[in-house]
Amino acid sequence: MTTLGAAVATGFYSLEAAGQTLDSLTLITEDYPPFNFEKNGRRQGIAVDLLMEMLDLSGSKRSREDIRIWPWARGYETALKEKDIVLFSTTRTEPRENLFKWVGPIMPSRIVLVAKKKNGIQLDSVEELGRAGYRIGVVREDVGEKLLDKVDRVRDKVVLLNSGISVAKMLQAGRIDMWAYDIQVAMWNLKELGYDPAEYEEVFTLAETHSYYFALSKKTDDKFVFMLQSALDQIKAKGRFNEIVARYRKS
């Protein structure tokens, strides 16, 4: 068995064995709390803290300041075209499966339609969206947009924006009827903006079978993928992953 094969089989792969460095990776994320965001000038969140521990465990010198916080569509397109990109947190779906290499999972995702309770919106099926003509806010290239792409007569009612914060503001102002997004992230954003999350509700679940991952561009060396996955597995085995998650659930 080759050195690489042996490393994969045992679930551990060191930088010394690779003879390379993870410091060549470009780290890209978006404002997507509680998974990844910036507050008081500090990059933080479940996925940020996790990635920093993964890199540290692997001998990397990268810091939080090395993480680029970009609009999701820009980061997504960059990860599709360039090599050695780590894009997170990325929902791993079937259409995306062969577009990236994957490290994870981080946590499950649940993509829903959020609306104001006072509007009394009720949906028994996603097909009703097209018939009712609801205006739905999404973030460009986000999984919410991709899920709605499949629904007849919905595309022309979808409002594309660059960030969750922008969508939340439009929902609060009544300029859209619903927001297709991860429920945790949607509620976090509403609260951060000073809106009362209790005034909002889930009206329909679009998907709950996917999880968030670190997506690496296809041209990234498999050695880096194996290294990061090994570090993540070690962190989970030691119980550190649950500690990181608990940190943000208390916030």
Side-chain angles (χ1 to χ4, degrees), residues 216-227:
L216 283 73
S217 49
K218 287 287 284 186
K219 295 180 180 179
T220 303
D221 196 311
D222 284 340
K223 296 172 183 177
F224 293 150
V225 181
F226 295 141
M227 193 68 216

Side-chain angles (χ1 to χ4, degrees), residues 7-248:
V8 176
T10 58
F12 179 77
Y13 192 75
S14 69
L15 282 174
E16 289 75 16
Q20 299 184 41
T21 171
L22 290 173
D23 290 347
S24 63
L25 295 175
T26 299
L27 314 175
I28 301 176
T29 191
E30 65 168 332
D31 185 67
Y32 197 72
F35 299 100
N36 20 268
F37 61 102
E38 184 176 45
K39 188 172 185 179
N40 299 324
R42 176 181 170 83
R43 278 80 159 169
Q44 55 189 294
I46 294 169
V48 171
D49 290 4
L50 186 58
L51 181 59
M52 286 299 99
E53 292 204 16
M54 290 161 62
L55 292 169
D56 184 64
L57 184 62
S58 303
S60 172
K61 297 179 181 179
R62 304 307 295 272
S63 69
R64 294 171 188 267
E65 288 69 31
D66 293 313
I67 298 174
R68 304 177 185 184
I69 300 181
W70 288 357
W72 182 250
R74 180 185 176 190
Y76 190 85
E77 291 300 321
T78 300
L80 287 176
K81 296 175 181 178
E82 299 182 13
K83 71 174 185 176
D84 295 340
I85 305 293
V86 180
L87 178 69
F88 65 100
S89 301
T90 308
T91 307
R92 186 173 183 174
T93 63
E94 185 176 348
R96 290 174 172 174
E97 182 64 30
N98 295 320
L99 299 178
F100 303 100
K101 297 178 180 180
W102 303 93
V103 172
I106 302 172
M107 287 182 67
S109 69
R110 191 159 67 86
I111 310 302
V112 306
L113 293 173
V114 178
K116 287 185 176 180
K117 288 181 179 178
K118 69 178 184 180
N119 292 339
I121 297 175
Q122 296 184 351
L123 293 173
D124 294 320
S125 70
V126 71
E127 287 74 24
E128 290 182 29
L129 291 173
R131 296 193 294 271
Y134 291 117
R135 299 160 298 169
I136 308 169
V138 301
V139 173
R140 295 178 189 275
E141 296 295 347
D142 181 71
V143 66
E145 178 193 359
K146 301 306 179 184
L147 290 169
L148 293 176
D149 272 344
K150 304 175 183 179
V151 185
D152 290 339
R153 295 187 293 176
V154 169
R155 184 68 197 182
D156 62 341
K157 296 295 183 181
V158 168
V159 179
L160 295 169
L161 293 157
N162 289 326
S163 70
I165 291 292
S166 298
V167 184
K169 289 178 178 178
M170 288 194 72
L171 184 63
Q172 172 70 12
R175 296 174 61 191
I176 55 175
D177 302 300
M178 286 179 281
W179 179 8
Y181 219 42
D182 181 281
I183 183 59
Q184 292 185 75
V185 185
M187 291 303 179
W188 185 296
N189 279 329
L190 290 167
K191 184 176 180 180
E192 283 294 301
L193 287 169
Y195 309 147
D196 184 359
E199 295 180 357
Y200 295 84
E201 63 181 349
E202 305 170 36
V203 296
F204 194 81
T205 299
L206 292 173
E208 55 182 346
T209 58
H210 308 303
S211 291
Y212 293 114
Y213 280 71
F214 298 98
L216 283 73
S217 49
K218 287 287 284 186
K219 295 180 180 179
T220 303
D221 196 311
D222 284 340
K223 296 172 183 177
F224 293 150
V225 181
F226 295 141
M227 193 68 216
L228 290 172
Q229 186 66 59
S230 176
L232 175 58
D233 293 343
Q234 291 180 60
I235 290 168
K236 288 184 175 181
K238 293 177 181 178
R240 283 290 300 144
F241 176 79
N242 291 335
E243 293 175 12
I244 292 171
V245 172
R247 183 183 306 160
Y248 290 94

